[in-house]
C-alpha cells in the first residue's frame, strides 16, 4: 500500500472508531411494521413516519425485506407489513396489502429448503398468520400448518417459569408471544433504557399491552435518531459494535489511539462474570459476544486469558451454544470460542478438539461454511478460517483457499447474489489469513482493492445479518470493508 493510501486508510479507521457509540443498526421492515401499528389512547398513530417508510420500501413483487432476496426474510417481513397496513383506509395501503398478499400466494413455500431462517421464524410466522386471519386476509394458511406445529412444540419446551423468573432470549420476541404469555410480568426485566431486550418490536408490544412510559420513551428515542423514519432490528448494541469493529481493524494492524478507551470499556464488562452480551444493558450474555470480547482484548495485549473458563458455561456435548433454548448451533459463534481458547491451548484441550471436530463436520464441499447469524457463506467461512488457521496445519484448508480464489467475480467482488462490499471484505480477510498456506495472486487482491475503495464510505450496505429479518449493523460492516480494503490494497501492490 502506498503512503497516500495508508494515510487515507488510517484516517478512515480513526473516524470509524470515533463513531463507535451506543451501537446502531439500520432500519428494517419487520421492526418498522410493528412500530407502525402503535396508537396513542386517542387513536392517533404514534409514529406516522413508519407508515411512509413502509409505503416507500415495498419491492416491485409486492414483498418487503432486505435488498438481497432471502425467502424467510421476505416472508416474515411481508406478513408483518401486511398486517400493519391492513387496518389503514388509504387507497395506497389497500393496494400495498393486496400486492403483499399476492407475493405470499405466489410462493408460499419459497422458504422451504432455503439456507437460512430468521430469528424466531417458527414463532413469528404462525403468529402473524393468526393476526392476518383475524383481519380476513386471503392467505394460503394451510401451507404453514407445519410451522404452527413447530411453534407449539417450541413453546412446550419452555419451562413454565421462564417468562417471569429470569431474563431469557424469549423476551426478545415478545411481539409474537402475546397470545401465550401475559406481557406484564416481563416488565421486571426492562432495561435501564426502557426497552425489553433492546428489541423495538418486543418493546412496542410491551407498551401496547401495558402503557409503560419508559417503553414509549425508548421508542420515541429511536424515532428521533432514525435517519429515514424506520426502526432497527436491535438497539443499542454497544458491545457488539465495539468488539467487532476493533477486532476487524486489529486484524490489519489498524488501532487508532482512541481505541484504547473502548478496549478498557470492553475489559470492564468481563469483571463480574467473565461474560458479555450485545450491550452492557442487555440482560442475557451469549457465547458469541463474550468470545469476541476475549479475542479483541487478547489481540490488543490485555491479560484476560485467565477468565476464558467462563465460556464453558455454553459448552454442550458436541458444540457450544450461543443462547439458551437454541435449536441449532452457530458456526461463527463456535469458531469465535475456538479462537478464544486457542490463546490458552493448554488449558482447554478437550474443548479445542470438540470445536475443531464440530467445525470440520460443518464444512460444505470440503471448502466453505454457512451460519445462522449471517446470510453469506463468506462471512461464516472467514470466521472459521480465522479460528481453524490458528490450530490446524495450513494445508487442511486448501479447499477453502481454492473456493475463495475461484469465487471472485469479474468486477473484483465476491457474493452469492451479486457482489457486495461486505462479502468481498470477508473473502479478502480469509485469503489473507490463509496466506501461510498459499498467497493468493496479487491480481486477485488488486481487483478487490479497486472494488472496495469505492465502498468504504458508502451510505448503506445490503442487509445480510440475520435477526427477525435481515439487517445491517452499519459500523461493523464498514469496519469489515475498510479492513478488507487495507489488506487488498497492500497485497495487491506486492
Amino acid at each position: 500500500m502506498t503512503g497516500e493510501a495508508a494515510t487515507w486508510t488510517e484516517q478512515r479507521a480513526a473516524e470509524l472508531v470515533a463513531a463507535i457509540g451506543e451501537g446502531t443498526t439500520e432500519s428494517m421492515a419487520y421492526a418498522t411494521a410493528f412500530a407502525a401499528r402503535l396508537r396513542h389512547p386517542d387513536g392517533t398513530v404514534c409514529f406516522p413516519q413508519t407508515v411512509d417508510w413502509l409505503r416507500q420500501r415495498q419491492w416491485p413483487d409486492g414483498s418487503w425485506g432486505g435488498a438481497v432476496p432471502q425467502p424467510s426474510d421476505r416472508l416474515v417481513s411481508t406478513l408483518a407489513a401486511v398486517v400493519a397496513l391492513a387496518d389503514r383506509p388509504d387507497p395506497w395501503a389497500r393496494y400495498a396489502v393486496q400486492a403483499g398478499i399476492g407475493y405470499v400466494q405466489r410462493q408460499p413455500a419459497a422458504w422451504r429448503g432455503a439456507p437460512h431462517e430468521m430469528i424466531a421464524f417458527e414463532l413469528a410466522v404462525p403468529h402473524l398468520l393468526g393476526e392476518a386471519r383475524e383481519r380476513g386476509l386471503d392467505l394460503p394458511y394451510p401451507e404453514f400448518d407445519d410451522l404452527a406445529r413447530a411453534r407449539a412444540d417450541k413453546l412446550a419446551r419452555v419451562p413454565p417459569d421462564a417468562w417471569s423468573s429470569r431474563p431469557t432470549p424469549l423476551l426478545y420476541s415478545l411481539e409474537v408471544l402475546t397470545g401465550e404469555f401475559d406481557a406484564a410480568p416481563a416488565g421486571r426485566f426492562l432495561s435501564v433504557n426502557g426497552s425489553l431486550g433492546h428489541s423495538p418490536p418486543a418493546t412496542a408490544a410491551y407498551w401496547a399491552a401495558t402503557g409503560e412510559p419508559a417503553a414509549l420513551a425508548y421508542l420515541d428515542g429511536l424515532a428521533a435518531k432514525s435517519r429515514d423514519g424506520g426502526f432497527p432490528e436491535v438497539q443499542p448494541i454497544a458491545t457488539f459494535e465495539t468488539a467487532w469493529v476493533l477486532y476487524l481493524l486489529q486484524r490489519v494492524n489498524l488501532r487508532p489511539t482512541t481505541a484504547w478507551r473502548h478496549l478498557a470499556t470492553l475489559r470492564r464488562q468481563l469483571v463480574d462474570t467473565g461474560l458479555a452480551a450485545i450491550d452492557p444493558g442487555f440482560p442475557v450474555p451469549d457465547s458469541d459476544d463474550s468470545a469476541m470480547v476475549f479475542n479483541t482484548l487478547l489481540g490488543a495485549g490485555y491479560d484476560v486469558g485467565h477468565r476464558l473458563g467462563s465460556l464453558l458455561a455454553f459448552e454442550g456435548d458436541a458444540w457450544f451454544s450461543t443462547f439458551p433454548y437454541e435449536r441449532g448451533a452457530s458456526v461463527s459463534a463456535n469458531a469465535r470460542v475456538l479462537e478464544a481458547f486457542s490463546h490458552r491451548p493448554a488449558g482447554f484441550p478437550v474443548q479445542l478438539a470438540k470445536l475443531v471436530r464440530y467445525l470440520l463436520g460443518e464444512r460444505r464441499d470440503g471448502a466453505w461454511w454457512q451460519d445462522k447469524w449471517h446470510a453469506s457463506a463468506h462471512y461464516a467461512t472467514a470466521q472459521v478460517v480465522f479460528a481453524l488457521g490458528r490450530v490446524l496445519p495450513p494445508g487442511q484448508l486448501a479447499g477453502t483457499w481454492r473456493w475463495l480464489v475461484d469465487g471472485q467475480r469479474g468486477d473484483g467482488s465476491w457474493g452469492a447474489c451479486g457482489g457486495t462490499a461486505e462479502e468481498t471484505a470477508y473473502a479478502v480477510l480469509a485469503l489473507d489469513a490463509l496466506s501461510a498456506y498459499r498467497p493468493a495472486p496479487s491480481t486477485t487482491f488488486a481487483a478487490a482493492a479497486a472494488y472496495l475503495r469505492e465502498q468504504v464510505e458508502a451510505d448503506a450496505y445490503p442487509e445480510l445479518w440475520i435477526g427477525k429479518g435481515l439487517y445491517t449493523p452499519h459500523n461493523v460492516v464498514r469496519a469489515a470493508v475498510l479492513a478488507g480494503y487495507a489488506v487488498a490494497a497492500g497485497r495487491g501492490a506486492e
Side-chain angles (χ1 to χ4, degrees):
M1 190 187 306
T2 65
E4 180 180 351
T7 299
W8 182 88
T9 302
E10 291 167 359
Q11 290 174 343
R12 300 293 83 74
E15 292 169 358
L16 180 55
V17 171
I20 296 175
E22 65 175 11
T24 57
T25 60
E26 302 290 349
S27 300
M28 42 94 78
Y30 180 91
T32 302
F34 275 91
R37 297 183 182 200
L38 298 182
R39 301 290 189 274
H40 291 294
D42 64 3
T44 58
V45 177
C46 292
F47 305 107
Q49 67 273 28
T50 59
V51 179
D52 291 334
W53 193 98
L54 293 173
R55 181 179 187 178
Q56 296 166 12
R57 287 167 176 78
Q58 188 173 23
W59 295 104
D61 64 359
S63 69
W64 281 266
V68 176
Q70 206 289 332
S72 66
D73 167 55
R74 289 292 180 93
L75 174 62
V76 75
S77 298
T78 301
L79 290 175
V82 163
V83 171
L85 296 175
D87 297 330
R88 294 192 62 82
D90 319 75
W92 72 263
R94 291 196 295 271
Y95 176 81
V97 168
Q98 287 305 311
I101 290 172
Y103 168 81
V104 178
Q105 289 175 334
R106 287 191 302 275
Q107 43 186 330
W111 60 275
R112 298 181 185 278
H116 303 286
E117 280 188 8
M118 300 300 103
I119 291 176
F121 181 77
E122 77 283 12
L123 300 177
V125 171
H127 177 86
L128 290 166
L129 287 170
E131 294 188 309
R133 192 191 296 270
E134 291 173 358
R135 290 162 172 79
L137 302 182
D138 183 20
L139 290 167
Y141 298 101
E143 293 283 349
F144 304 99
D145 284 348
D146 54 341
L147 275 180
R149 291 190 291 271
R151 174 188 170 92
D153 179 69
K154 171 110 179 219
L155 294 178
R157 296 171 185 271
V158 176
D161 64 343
W163 192 249
S164 57
S165 64
R166 58 191 178 277
T168 76
L170 289 174
L171 295 171
Y172 193 72
S173 299
L174 176 68
E175 76 278 3
V176 295
L177 295 171
T178 52
E180 288 78 11
F181 298 98
D182 177 13
R188 64 185 297 193
F189 303 119
L190 282 185
S191 297
V192 173
N193 62 21
S195 76
L196 195 62
H198 292 208
S199 165
T203 307
Y206 179 75
W207 178 77
T210 66
E212 167 59 48
L216 183 59
Y218 165 77
L219 298 170
D220 283 336
L222 294 182
K225 295 175 184 177
S226 176
R227 296 190 306 167
D228 56 14
F231 274 62
E233 161 75 22
V234 56
Q235 194 168 314
I237 54 166
T239 303
F240 169 32
E241 180 180 85
T242 302
W244 260 254
V245 167
L246 297 183
Y247 173 87
L248 287 163
L249 295 181
Q250 285 177 179
R251 287 202 67 86
V252 296
N253 298 315
L254 288 171
R255 188 182 295 122
T257 56
T258 51
W260 293 106
R261 173 172 61 88
H262 296 293
L263 288 164
T265 298
L266 292 180
R267 173 66 183 87
R268 286 193 294 271
Q269 291 182 42
L270 298 181
V271 169
D272 292 334
T273 65
L275 299 175
I278 61 170
D279 185 84
F282 194 80
V284 184
D286 65 271
S287 64
D288 203 10
D289 287 284
S290 298
M292 184 59 106
V293 169
F294 275 113
N295 290 329
T296 303
L297 291 172
L298 289 164
Y302 277 75
D303 184 18
V304 294
H306 63 286
R307 301 300 302 275
L308 283 168
S310 62
L311 293 172
L312 298 176
F314 301 99
E315 186 175 9
D317 292 339
W319 59 69
F320 280 64
S321 64
T322 310
F323 288 105
Y325 313 125
E326 195 170 35
R327 284 198 301 155
S330 162
V331 162
S332 68
N334 277 270
R336 209 107 49 215
V337 173
L338 171 60
E339 184 176 354
F341 284 151
S342 72
H343 287 273
R344 291 281 183 96
F348 305 96
V350 174
Q351 289 75 23
L352 285 169
K354 177 186 297 186
L355 288 159
V356 168
R357 187 163 53 248
Y358 166 72
L359 291 171
L360 291 179
E362 292 296 307
R363 182 166 52 177
R364 312 289 181 92
D365 301 328
W368 54 277
W369 286 263
Q370 285 183 333
D371 189 43
K372 66 187 295 182
W373 302 121
H374 200 284
S376 172
H378 295 91
Y379 171 83
T381 299
Q383 314 315 306
V384 175
V385 166
F386 298 159
L388 288 180
R390 295 176 59 91
V391 298
L392 291 183
Q396 290 200 33
L397 295 173
T400 303
W401 186 93
R402 174 53 58 191
W403 178 77
L404 288 166
V405 170
D406 290 348
Q408 189 175 31
R409 294 173 171 270
D411 63 355
S413 71
W414 278 264
C417 298
T420 70
E422 186 180 3
E423 292 173 283
T424 301
Y426 296 135
V428 167
L429 292 170
L431 284 171
D432 182 55
L434 289 169
S435 60
Y437 160 68
R438 183 179 177 185
S442 61
T443 53
T444 297
F445 287 113
Y451 175 83
L452 288 172
R453 176 63 176 79
E454 302 303 318
Q455 302 290 331
V456 169
E457 297 182 293
D459 289 334
Y461 299 103
E463 304 92 337
L464 293 171
W465 291 73
I466 295 174
K468 296 171 189 175
L470 293 179
Y471 73 100
T472 301
H474 187 82
N475 285 340
V476 171
V477 175
R478 177 165 286 180
V481 174
L482 179 60
Y485 168 73
V487 166
R491 290 193 174 275
E494 292 176 353

